[in-house]
Amino acid sequence: MSSTGNEGGEQPSRDGASRRGPQRAAAGAGASPRPRTVGSASARARLRRLTPKPAASRAGTTQAPRPSAEPRTSSARGGPTVPYPGLDRAPVEALGERAEGSLFDVVKVAIAILDTSGRVVLWSPAAEQLLGWPSELLVGRRIDELIADQGLVGRVKAAIQETLRNGHWQGFTSLQHRDDGEVGVEARISLLVDGDGTPFLQVALAEAGALRAVERDLAVRDALFEQSPLGIAILDTDLRYTAVNHTLAEMNGVPAEEHVGRTTGETLPERAADEITAIQRQVLATGEPVIDVTLASPVTARGGFRSISYSRMTDRAGRVLGISGTVMDVTERYRAVAKVEHARRRLSLLNEFGSRVGDLLDAARIAQELAGAVVPRLADYAAVILLQAVAHGDDLPRHGHDRRTSLLQLGTASVQDAPEVEVMLRRGARITFADDSAFGRALRTGIPELLSGPDELSELTYPGDPKVQAAHDLGVHSRLVVPLRARGIVIGLLVISRAGYREGFDRDDLAFSVELADRAGSSLDNARLYARERTAALTLQRTLLPQQVPQPAGVEVAYRYVPGSSGTEVGGDWFDVIPLPDGRTALVVGDVMGHGLRAAATMGRLRTAVRTLAGLDLAPEVLLRHVHELTDDLAHGPDEALLATCVYAVFDPSTQRLTATKAGHIPPILIVPKETANEPSRVGSALPGGVGQILDLPSGAPLGVGGVPFESIELEIPEGSLLVLCTDGLVESRDKDLDVGLGRLLSVLEQPYASIQQACEAVLDTMEQGREPDDVALLLARLGRGRAGIPTAGWTLPAEPTAVSRARRLVRSTLAEWEVEHLTDTAELLVSELVTNSVRYASAPIGVRLTLGDTLLVEITDPLPDPPRERHAAEADEGGRGLELVGRLALRWGARAEGMGKVVWFELDPADDHLE
């Protein structure tokens, strides 16, 4: 750099800068002042006129003199280590908060003032930091000395000339850094003129690399902001928009310029803005970003759904500038996810409904479950209407449906309770319809219908139907009528409705309802088939059970039979009360393994066999043995063994003795009256309660198993005791032992009751809900004495021919004494025949006994164990007609084993007129 007008005679030199430094330092130390470079003093004076004065100077306050220039050192990038000469920091700090961490820290702008010849008049501290040249070494030198490339010098001079002509110039160049080589800068030159008309050049320099980075960032920002498919918003700390892009303006339906300066609440509708404003305040207050929150679009903008994200903005110094937000239209994504979720919920509804009705075999319960499944998830109101044949388990009709078809509304559900709902959805109501109505068309064709609009909704059943008016009052605007089908036959209708602001049904809803109705139709048909078989089995079983249970003398009987609960087929439980000769009574309870029609039929055959063998008056263990021997014949086939349990007890009121045996059955229970009772419990009186015990009978094997002999026990029973026989359905449960059920039964029966019938009801009321849903047969028998005052007479006769005539005389005289002479002739004839048989075949004494109760009982005892055999005598036969006479003239007759011999008995009815 060259210098002109130097009074000291200093020669131009390339290293003049280094030689000038010490001279100026010496001047600062008190030596004679060096003549200043041409234009320096005047230029500084003119520059001061161009530069705004500090407030203190404008007020007339004398400013402190500028200290003499001293040699300065620089930092690695030429930064000053002492304040710029003449700069007082206090007034600068008084202007306000220091701008730390701003954009000027990224892009440093250096200012230099040149005269028209290119000499440096003023060199700012920022320029010193940028290029490393302190002002005391550069002021007064030509700017082109900072250009290393001599080819650029001419372009610099041309730039100065252009500035002088046009007033400004800008471009890129490279300047020489004092320490680190060349620095690429962008230069902007502006022409300044002071008050005297003297021109100066203001040069603004910025590092080209940093400037390009900022420009690139700004370009990226512009590209993202303006070209982004996302809506972008910038809001200040008052949550007012400072900028929005075109995408967001379109989303909100408000021009971009109308956003600026307004809050979200002033831009969007109130309902949509409240939620967004709450999120904005949260982000601004906490600094925690909110990402991908899905909201419904404002009603004034494009419909759909949006995903919004907000984050807080801070500058490099950490000051909060506001928040930035992005808004993305996720309508398609939301609808796709909603569609998948919708399908998932409907699949879940199908699975849930299937699991809820999978084990149900009651049409009414299935109908109610179906109605409850669709409300409120699919509809507001639902009704399930079934054919009466389905509800009652009858056969499906083979002809088409018409207005005469009987329909029952068995399942209903609604989202509210109101009088109109009761009118429209009354359970159990009979439904009538016209053939041309929606109901009639759906039943006839099996095609579902989607009804909307007043005209279609009014054609539901028949004109003037109150249910139609009730639906109108409830605001029903859309309805589906879906047939319920089974085996290709319409068995009912599923009618679902939507009301109020809920969207109407569409084709997807119709398709789903058809799928749900098809599943329900299968379950309903299974329930119908089960009800039909169960009804048949119940009918068969009730037919095979005793139609009239006798009340023998000395025994008071109460009984209950409870079929298995819904979902379980009828079982093979049975009971019986069989009067035996000599005033005795047989009490029987049994249980055939299995369920259904076969079990019921087997039960009937087994009960008949027991009753027939009981008529032979066999001992209990002998009877069970004979029944066991018949099981192969009673079974349904060779591959289906008959298994049954049974308890058989015989009570003799005259001796108060009970003989009992069992075949794998649960043991009987005996309730003995309390000793504190004033008198024994009589038949027909209240039960006083007592102490219960489980009779320990030999277990025996179930009938059909074999291998275990049947054994009986004989007990003397206190008068008024209660004998309890039942099947396992009464005392067994899924999670408790049999002993627990028996103990519960004992505790119930030990209590006092007003009657034996009330005791039966109390036992059934205590059955656990969790018990196995099996049949229950319960038989209670209060055991007392025979009726007092019954005439009885007996004799022992020798086994010789004279015994016959003697027996006739004894019978005649006894019947005359009892005033039943009209029975004498028949009784004498039959006694004569039976005693003759005993005399002919027996060699031991013969017993004759008469008992007059409701009938005249005559018993002939002999030691011969073989029972008499009835045969039909030919016309030429002289004998063999005795038992035939007995069979024809007696009310009943039979034979039973007794001890080592037998007893042949017959009964005569005193009320028979033909005996007179």
Side-chain angles (χ1 to χ4, degrees), residues 317-594:
R319 290 188 297 268
V320 177
L321 303 179
I323 62 173
S324 64
T326 59
V327 182
M328 180 170 58
D329 188 346
V330 294
T331 302
E332 295 301 325
R333 184 187 75 180
Y334 183 87
R335 288 176 177 170
V337 173
K339 188 174 183 180
V340 173
E341 179 62 19
H342 189 58
R344 187 197 65 79
R345 288 198 301 267
R346 291 193 167 180
L347 181 60
S348 174
L349 176 57
L350 284 175
N351 293 335
E352 179 183 346
F353 174 72
S355 63
R356 288 167 65 176
V357 303
D359 57 349
L360 293 182
L361 292 172
D362 186 338
R365 290 186 60 188
I366 294 174
Q368 186 58 40
E369 289 291 344
L370 176 58
V374 298
V375 176
R377 285 183 282 186
L378 184 63
D380 298 318
Y381 305 98
V384 179
I385 302 170
L386 300 179
L387 299 181
Q388 183 172 337
V390 177
H392 296 165
D394 299 332
D395 292 334
L396 294 178
R398 299 185 180 276
H399 53 77
H401 302 298
D402 54 26
R403 59 185 179 81
R404 293 169 296 182
T405 301
S406 181
L407 298 175
L408 297 177
Q409 187 167 263
L410 296 183
T412 60
S414 66
V415 295
Q416 63 171 330
D417 294 327
E420 294 81 3
V421 176
E422 178 62 23
V423 172
M424 185 174 68
L425 301 176
R426 184 167 60 86
R427 291 191 65 184
R430 288 193 173 273
I431 304 299
T432 57
F433 59 93
D435 289 338
D436 58 347
S437 65
F439 277 17
R441 292 191 300 269
L443 287 169
R444 187 173 56 255
T445 64
I447 300 175
E449 294 201 10
L450 172 58
L451 307 178
S452 59
D455 294 339
E456 293 182 354
L457 292 173
S458 63
E459 297 178 355
L460 186 66
T461 52
Y462 62 88
D465 188 354
K467 294 188 291 296
V468 175
Q469 182 60 40
H472 176 73
D473 296 340
L474 290 171
V476 172
H477 57 79
S478 184
R479 177 172 277 157
L480 291 178
V481 180
V482 184
L484 299 168
R485 291 169 292 194
R487 305 173 186 270
I489 300 175
V490 177
I491 63 174
L493 297 173
L494 169 62
V495 184
I496 56 178
S497 309
R498 286 182 178 175
Y501 296 102
R502 195 166 186 174
E503 294 182 359
F505 292 110
D506 55 21
R507 291 298 172 184
D508 290 340
D509 297 323
L510 181 60
F512 173 75
S513 300
V514 170
E515 175 67 22
L516 187 62
D518 288 344
R519 295 198 179 191
S522 299
S523 297
L524 288 168
D525 190 50
N526 290 338
R528 179 189 66 84
L529 293 175
Y530 166 75
R532 184 177 66 176
E533 181 177 352
R534 186 170 186 268
T535 301
L538 276 174
T539 302
L540 175 61
Q541 188 174 41
R542 292 187 185 279
T543 302
L544 296 176
L545 286 174
Q547 302 303 304
Q548 294 181 351
V549 177
Q551 296 287 344
V555 179
E556 183 181 9
V557 176
Y559 59 92
R560 294 292 185 274
Y561 171 74
V562 181
S565 60
S566 177
T568 302
E569 298 175 340
V570 174
D573 295 12
W574 95 92
F575 66 92
D576 209 344
V577 178
I578 308 171
L580 298 177
D582 201 13
R584 293 168 301 128
T585 302
L587 305 170
V588 190
V589 168
D591 184 3
V592 176
M593 303 297 181

Side-chain angles (χ1 to χ4, degrees), residues 101-405:
S102 67
L103 187 61
F104 284 100
D105 293 333
V106 180
V107 180
K108 297 182 174 60
V109 179
I111 302 297
I113 304 298
L114 309 178
D115 59 14
T116 56
S117 64
R119 293 182 184 276
V120 177
V121 177
L122 181 64
W123 192 252
S124 68
E128 294 182 15
Q129 294 180 0
L130 181 62
L131 297 175
W133 296 92
S135 59
E136 60 269 20
L137 297 182
L138 201 58
V139 172
R141 300 176 64 178
R142 297 178 65 86
I143 191 62
D144 53 11
E145 293 187 18
L146 296 177
I147 301 175
D149 187 358
Q150 293 301 317
L152 295 177
V153 174
R155 290 197 291 272
V156 172
K157 293 180 179 180
I160 293 175
Q161 294 302 319
E162 182 179 350
T163 303
L164 293 175
R165 289 193 304 272
N166 300 329
H168 59 84
W169 179 91
Q170 68 181 44
F172 288 92
T173 185
S174 298
L175 299 181
Q176 184 66 36
H177 192 275
R178 182 180 182 187
D179 301 321
D180 298 340
E182 294 183 356
V183 177
V185 297
E186 180 181 353
R188 293 177 180 264
I189 306 177
S190 302
L191 179 63
L192 303 178
V193 180
D194 66 0
D196 297 335
T198 304
F200 293 92
L201 301 177
Q202 175 183 289
V203 181
L205 304 174
E207 187 176 356
L211 191 61
R212 288 192 182 96
V214 172
E215 290 177 347
R216 182 172 61 252
D217 292 344
L218 292 175
V220 172
R221 177 262 182 198
D222 292 341
L224 291 176
F225 195 80
E226 297 299 337
Q227 302 174 15
S228 173
L230 305 180
I232 301 177
I234 307 298
L235 297 92
D236 59 17
T237 54
D238 293 330
L239 298 181
R240 295 185 178 275
Y241 290 106
T242 60
V244 297
N245 65 351
H246 181 68
T247 303
L248 183 60
E250 281 190 346
M251 287 184 178
N252 291 341
V254 179
E257 58 272 13
E258 295 186 15
H259 282 75
V260 178
R262 300 168 68 183
T263 64
T264 303
E266 296 169 346
T267 307
L268 300 179
E270 179 180 357
R271 185 175 180 180
D274 290 344
E275 192 169 4
I276 298 176
T277 301
I279 295 175
Q280 292 173 349
R281 289 174 178 168
Q282 175 185 346
V283 172
L284 184 65
T286 64
E288 294 291 333
V290 172
I291 300 173
D292 195 18
V293 175
T294 302
L295 302 175
S297 299
V299 293
T300 59
R302 294 183 301 181
F305 298 89
R306 297 179 177 182
S307 171
I308 63 172
S309 302
Y310 284 100
S311 60
R312 194 167 68 181
M313 297 187 305
T314 58
D315 60 12
R316 292 176 176 269
R319 290 188 297 268
V320 177
L321 303 179
I323 62 173
S324 64
T326 59
V327 182
M328 180 170 58
D329 188 346
V330 294
T331 302
E332 295 301 325
R333 184 187 75 180
Y334 183 87
R335 288 176 177 170
V337 173
K339 188 174 183 180
V340 173
E341 179 62 19
H342 189 58
R344 187 197 65 79
R345 288 198 301 267
R346 291 193 167 180
L347 181 60
S348 174
L349 176 57
L350 284 175
N351 293 335
E352 179 183 346
F353 174 72
S355 63
R356 288 167 65 176
V357 303
D359 57 349
L360 293 182
L361 292 172
D362 186 338
R365 290 186 60 188
I366 294 174
Q368 186 58 40
E369 289 291 344
L370 176 58
V374 298
V375 176
R377 285 183 282 186
L378 184 63
D380 298 318
Y381 305 98
V384 179
I385 302 170
L386 300 179
L387 299 181
Q388 183 172 337
V390 177
H392 296 165
D394 299 332
D395 292 334
L396 294 178
R398 299 185 180 276
H399 53 77
H401 302 298
D402 54 26
R403 59 185 179 81
R404 293 169 296 182
T405 301

